[in-house]
Amino acid sequence: MTPWSFLLLLGLLFCEPFSLINGAEQRTSEDKLLVLTVATKETDGFGRFMRSAKHFNYTVKVLGRGQTWTGGDYMSAPGGGQKVRLLKEALEEMKTEDKIILFIDSYDVVFASGPKELLKKFKQAKHKVVFSSESLIWPDRHLEDKHPHVREGNRFLGSGGFMGYLPNIREMVSDWSGEDDDSDQLFFTKIYIDAAKRKSINITLDTKCRLFQNLHGALDEVVLKFEDGRVRARNVLYDTLPVIIHGNGPTKLQINYLGNYIPNIWTFETGCTVCHEDLRPLTALKESEYPMVVIGIFIQQPTPFVTVFFERLLKLQYPKDKLKLFIHSQEAHHASQVSSFLKDHGSLYQDVRVIGPEEAIDGAESRNLGFDMCRKDKDCDYFFSLDIEVVLKNEETLKILIEQNLPIVAPMITRVGRLWSNFWGALSAEGYYARSEDYVDIVQGRRVGVWNVPYVSSVYLVKADILRSELTDYELFTSQILDPDMAYCFNVREKAVFMYVTNMHTFGRILSTENYQTGHLHNDLWQIFENPLDWQERYIHENYTLIMKDKLIETPCPDVYWFPIFTDVACNHLVEEMEHFGKWSGGGNVDTRIQGGYENVPTIDIHMNQINFEKEWHKFLLEFIAPVTEKMYPGYYTKCSSPLTFVVRYKPDEQPLLTPHHDASTFTVNIALNSKDVDYQGGGCRFLRYDCSVQAPRKGWALMHPGRLTHYHEGLPTTAGVRYIAVSFVDP
């Protein structure tokens, strides 16, 4: 046998069995680890803790389940003694002395790694009991000088997490005889600063946060670390990766933020790993078995496109007999739109309650009443809060939110072209908006998931069970200093109920209500600047985009192009707006409205500037006419300068036709605002040079033709009814 063969044999005889023994020892250690926590109620935070424990296969025993919490409110004052009493009782019942106990809070804790790493770091501490550490002393600052000095790291004990061998922890709590609302932290601190007890029990602190990371006083030290498909919290001050993350004290929002990612909830490689867990699929139910939903609709300021809002509400894909409506409107301006909707469609819903402006109820009180309607209705399963400025494009929104099976969940909506949304990712120290690190990525869809957030507004779904239990307070929206939405979210956070926002789907957007004027008949016409997408959807023909694809443009005469531009609604609103204004010109040559005061070929008309619509009309020409012009007249680029834009009215007994003329323009746009054979007879446009006529103008379609020199034309006689056209002389 060669020396190398002999060494190989030794390796087989000794090394391999040694590794097997180590493996068995490691497994035994993990089996001996028992996590103890106190949870008298199964809160949202407790559920998060248990999910993280399950993720890493921790064995958890919950103490105090179902009992009344008598440990005080130690968020604002010392307390927590009940936890020590329950721990002492549990340890006295344990017979297996070789257990390693991890005693940890649960409502504000997540595991970031598994038992193997935790036990390894515990044993490296070379003490029998290891406490979490803090940089701030609490609750008795007078004890600061009695704490042992440390070479590096946090000096003060944190009672929210510690681990050790069962006999040592049992010895540590054996002297507890305090009241349930006494301070657990003060009790453990006094043991730790007693040198004899510290040595006897063999206690140390996890000064560099290798096992435990308490967030209070350390927020600037903790960052998320994404690496190789995993996500951890990293303490950058000590360059450690804590196993347990604890949002102690006033850091509940920060643990909620970290809990959106840890443990591996969301990574760059996998995206959201838990978003499809705990779903409540509605597909398995008959429509008669769907949950009952009260939809609360709140109109608190003049808002554009209210009629469209109710049209979308009708299209919501949910059985109407499973919906009840609660409508509050503070705006008399919208009373006719609400009553019109209810007159036509209110009977579709199982129940409708309306509070109008005459009842003088403010926004906070109305929202409280809406919640209470659901609380008192034994059939109500959810309350769906929906502000009038919400543009809910996704007809499946309500189903999607119900299926998420969360206490409070909002569909993410944003304002077009802005980072404004209906949720906040963080709060400032004063409780107002602050931008979280991931906010922009969530809003812009670079991170997709379901996110625990501190604030939602405008549209969200609430479980009725939550309203009847944790959120029983009738005045959730009422505050002397906060607006109703902020007051509501503050109260929800105080009750430790989690709020979520989902961007797993595209849901819609939110309107801008700034600068919305109500002095016109159809005020939405003026929204092309503030809400351009909604304006386009309401007023631009649905087939307009086909023009740019060469699929929908006609050439009835040489260099004359005919294409769809306006919806019927746009045409109707423009006509009605002009008739409402009513100051039609007399059709004479003298016209003080135009430069020079003389019109060669006069019409009976109203100019856009007479109704303060010239800026909006110019924007319309730039956005929707200029692209067609540049496509059909290659090489010509226009800024749509148009000092003459107006609506013409033709009537047989007023002005039935227009004599042949050239337009004072480079090109002219002529839009038919009503329908031949429906609203009028006759009419049309004839181009004399080509002996070519367009005699059946389609409502909402535009004729675009050169103005000077070549396209000498006339308006054909209107023989019955009233014909309206919108005319723009572009680039005179």
Side-chain angles (χ1 to χ4, degrees):
M1 178 179 292
T2 66
W4 292 111
S5 301
F6 179 71
L7 290 173
L8 178 61
L9 180 60
L10 285 176
L12 292 171
L13 290 173
F14 296 103
C15 296
E16 182 64 22
F18 179 73
S19 68
L20 291 173
I21 292 169
N22 262 0
E25 180 181 313
Q26 177 182 307
R27 284 194 298 274
T28 302
S29 296
E30 291 183 26
D31 290 342
K32 291 179 179 178
L33 176 65
L34 176 63
V35 180
L36 296 179
T37 191
V38 173
T40 56
K41 291 175 63 177
E42 294 192 5
T43 65
D44 295 336
F46 174 76
R48 174 181 59 195
F49 168 80
M50 291 301 291
R51 282 193 297 274
S52 71
K54 182 180 179 181
H55 179 81
F56 291 114
N57 294 317
Y58 282 95
T59 301
V60 180
K61 182 176 181 180
V62 181
L63 310 178
R65 195 191 297 264
Q67 298 182 19
T68 301
W69 173 253
T70 54
D73 180 15
Y74 56 94
M75 281 290 293
S76 55
Q82 184 178 2
K83 295 191 296 182
V84 187
R85 174 176 64 79
L86 291 170
L87 174 62
K88 179 181 178 181
E89 293 170 357
L91 295 180
E92 287 172 350
E93 295 176 0
M94 291 187 184
K95 307 301 181 184
T96 307
E97 296 296 311
D98 61 349
K99 285 285 186 184
I100 298 174
I101 301 297
L102 169 65
F103 188 66
I104 191 74
D105 287 354
S106 60
Y107 295 157
D108 50 9
V109 169
V110 292
F111 287 104
S113 188
K116 179 180 178 181
E117 181 179 339
L118 180 66
L119 287 164
K120 178 182 177 182
K121 290 179 175 179
F122 168 68
K123 290 177 180 178
Q124 287 172 345
K126 298 180 180 178
H127 283 71
K128 299 296 185 180
V129 177
V130 180
F131 270 86
S132 67
S133 67
E134 298 187 30
S135 62
L136 306 173
I137 185 170
W138 193 80
D140 189 347
R141 278 187 273 174
H142 298 97
L143 299 177
E144 179 175 350
D145 292 340
K146 297 186 178 182
H147 279 72
H149 286 277
V150 297
R151 183 177 303 173
E152 184 182 10
N154 297 327
R155 184 181 170 195
F156 306 112
L157 175 144
S159 65
F162 57 86
M163 69 182 298
Y165 293 98
L166 173 58
N168 301 77
I169 294 181
R170 183 187 285 145
E171 178 186 350
M172 183 172 66
V173 300
S174 61
D175 292 336
W176 171 262
S177 58
E179 300 297 326
D180 279 4
D181 59 353
D182 287 346
S183 172
D184 62 329
Q185 180 128 330
L186 186 59
F187 171 74
F188 290 122
T189 296
K190 287 182 176 179
I191 294 174
Y192 176 68
I193 62 177
D194 184 319
K197 288 184 178 180
R198 183 170 69 247
K199 182 176 180 182
S200 170
I201 301 170
N202 197 3
I203 302 174
T204 191
L205 301 186
D206 178 32
T207 58
K208 295 184 181 179
C209 305
R210 301 180 74 245
L211 291 81
F212 306 95
Q213 177 66 66
N214 288 315
L215 295 178
H216 187 35
L219 293 178
D220 293 338
E221 301 170 13
V222 180
V223 298
L224 287 170
K225 178 184 179 183
F226 296 91
E227 187 174 76
D228 300 328
R230 295 190 64 192
V231 58
R232 296 286 296 266
R234 176 173 173 251
N235 186 302
V236 295
L237 182 61
Y238 306 120
D239 195 22
T240 55
L241 296 173
V243 177
I244 297 162
I245 316 300
H246 181 199
N248 58 320
T251 63
K252 309 307 177 193
L253 299 186
Q254 286 74 21
I255 191 64
N256 290 351
Y257 169 76
L258 295 174
N260 284 328
Y261 297 92
I262 301 169
N264 294 351
I265 300 297
W266 190 97
T267 71
F268 287 101
E269 291 81 1
T270 63
C272 182
T273 63
V274 301
C275 290
H276 299 290
E277 294 181 3
D278 301 324
L279 293 181
R280 178 186 180 176
L282 293 176
T283 52
L285 302 177
K286 301 175 182 177
E287 286 197 349
S288 60
E289 299 171 330
Y290 275 32
M292 179 66 70
V293 181
V294 173
I295 301 181
I297 298 167
F298 300 95
I299 309 174
Q300 296 184 293
Q301 66 280 317
T303 304
F305 305 108
V306 167
T307 301
V308 184
F309 172 92
F310 284 114
E311 289 172 0
R312 290 198 179 98
L313 183 66
L314 279 173
K315 294 178 182 177
L316 203 60
Q317 294 300 299
Y318 204 85
K320 299 291 186 294
D321 61 350
K322 288 294 182 178
L323 296 176
K324 299 181 180 182
L325 300 184
F326 174 90
I327 302 176
H328 172 240
S329 176
Q330 291 180 257
E331 287 298 325
H333 174 72
H334 294 305
S336 62
Q337 292 159 308
V338 173
S339 60
S340 177
F341 167 74
L342 293 178
K343 178 183 177 182
D344 294 339
H345 309 290
S347 61
L348 297 174
Y349 298 90
Q350 189 175 108
D351 189 21
V352 177
R353 181 182 177 187
V354 181
I355 299 176
E358 68 281 356
E359 298 190 43
I361 291 177
D362 65 19
E365 187 179 356
S366 69
R367 292 175 189 273
N368 287 329
L369 287 172
F371 271 9
D372 209 44
M373 176 177 169
C374 180
R375 280 193 195 97
K376 293 177 179 178
D377 184 349
K378 62 181 179 61
D379 295 326
C380 179
D381 298 300
Y382 291 92
F383 187 89
F384 186 42
S385 184
L386 186 59
D387 289 0
I388 199 71
E389 61 265 30
V390 172
V391 179
L392 214 55
K393 295 284 290 180
N394 191 329
E395 297 175 4
E396 302 290 332
T397 296
L398 184 53
K399 289 182 181 178
I400 291 168
L401 297 182
I402 290 173
E403 289 181 342
Q404 285 296 324
N405 196 25
L406 293 168
I408 300 174
V409 58
M412 190 191 78
I413 56 174
T414 60
R415 190 164 288 168
V416 175
R418 296 174 60 183
L419 290 174
W420 194 97
S421 73
N422 65 322
F423 79 97
W424 297 349
L427 298 180
S428 68
E430 296 77 26
Y432 292 89
Y433 169 83
R435 181 173 291 182
S436 61
E437 183 182 341
D438 57 0
Y439 178 81
V440 174
D441 280 350
I442 293 173
V443 169
Q444 295 183 342
R446 291 192 292 271
R447 300 189 189 188
V448 175
V450 180
W451 312 94
N452 186 337
V453 296
Y455 174 94
V456 296
S457 66
S458 302
V459 51
Y460 49 85
L461 185 75
V462 186
K463 279 188 175 180
D465 289 346
I466 297 293
L467 294 177
R468 299 185 186 109
S469 53
E470 284 88 343
L471 302 181
T472 53
D473 186 354
Y474 179 74
E475 302 294 335
L476 283 173
F477 291 91
T478 304
S479 170
Q480 296 297 317
I481 57 174
L482 301 174
D483 69 35
D485 287 330
M486 289 184 64
Y488 162 68
C489 292
F490 173 83
N491 288 323
V492 168
R493 295 193 302 269
E494 286 292 292
K495 299 293 185 180
V497 175
F498 288 171
M499 293 172 280
Y500 296 86
V501 65
T502 172
N503 64 341
M504 296 285 287
H505 302 79
T506 299
F507 294 101
R509 56 187 177 270
I510 191 160
L511 293 169
S512 169
T513 58
E514 301 165 12
N515 305 316
Y516 184 63
Q517 303 299 316
T518 59
H520 303 285
L521 180 66
H522 294 295
N523 301 285
D524 296 348
L525 277 170
W526 277 258
Q527 286 293 297
I528 191 170
F529 290 104
E530 292 291 337
N531 294 289
L533 190 54
D534 298 271
W535 192 94
Q536 178 177 342
E537 289 183 355
R538 185 64 164 163
Y539 293 130
I540 297 300
H541 198 286
E542 62 180 355
N543 292 329
Y544 170 80
T545 55
L546 297 177
I547 299 167
M548 308 312 291
K549 300 175 183 177
D550 292 323
K551 293 185 177 179
L552 191 61
I553 192 160
E554 298 180 18
T555 310
C557 301
D559 285 326
V560 176
Y561 299 102
W562 201 14
F563 53 89
I565 191 68
F566 275 161
T567 62
D568 281 0
V569 172
C571 297
N572 296 342
H573 282 192
L574 196 53
V575 168
E576 290 165 11
E577 195 67 47
M578 292 302 182
E579 288 290 1
H580 178 70
F581 180 73
K583 297 179 181 179
W584 296 94
S585 67
N589 294 104
V590 177
D591 193 341
T592 58
R593 299 172 301 169
I594 63 175
Q595 188 175 1
Y598 186 85
E599 173 62 61
N600 287 323
V601 187
T603 53
I604 291 179
D605 55 43
I606 296 174
H607 290 190
M608 297 298 182
N609 61 13
Q610 290 180 262
I611 62 168
N612 297 316
F613 197 58
E614 69 274 21
K615 289 188 298 184
E616 289 75 12
W617 191 263
H618 181 244
K619 175 72 170 175
F620 155 69
L621 294 174
L622 278 174
E623 293 290 328
F624 300 102
I625 296 298
V628 182
T629 304
E630 292 166 9
K631 178 180 177 65
M632 305 316 297
Y633 302 120
Y636 181 76
Y637 300 96
T638 178
K639 294 184 179 179
C640 289
S641 172
S642 182
L644 265 183
T645 58
F646 49 94
V647 171
V648 178
R649 181 173 73 183
Y650 291 113
K651 295 171 69 174
D653 58 351
E654 188 177 69
Q655 182 183 17
L657 54 82
L658 199 59
T659 59
H661 63 282
H662 285 293
D663 291 339
S665 67
T666 300
F667 69 93
T668 296
V669 178
N670 179 325
I671 305 172
L673 298 180
N674 56 352
S675 299
K676 184 173 181 176
D677 298 330
V678 176
D679 303 303
Y680 65 90
Q681 299 292 327
C685 181
R686 176 171 175 259
F687 296 93
L688 279 71
R689 177 185 178 93
Y690 307 104
D691 192 23
C692 176
S693 299
V694 180
Q695 294 187 349
R698 300 166 191 162
K699 183 177 181 179
W701 281 54
L703 277 178
M704 186 171 69
H705 59 83
R708 291 190 179 88
L709 192 60
T710 56
H711 283 64
Y712 192 58
H713 61 285
E714 64 181 333
L716 300 175
T718 298
T719 58
V722 185
R723 179 189 177 208
Y724 298 92
I725 59 173
V727 180
S728 298
F729 293 165
V730 184
D731 297 343

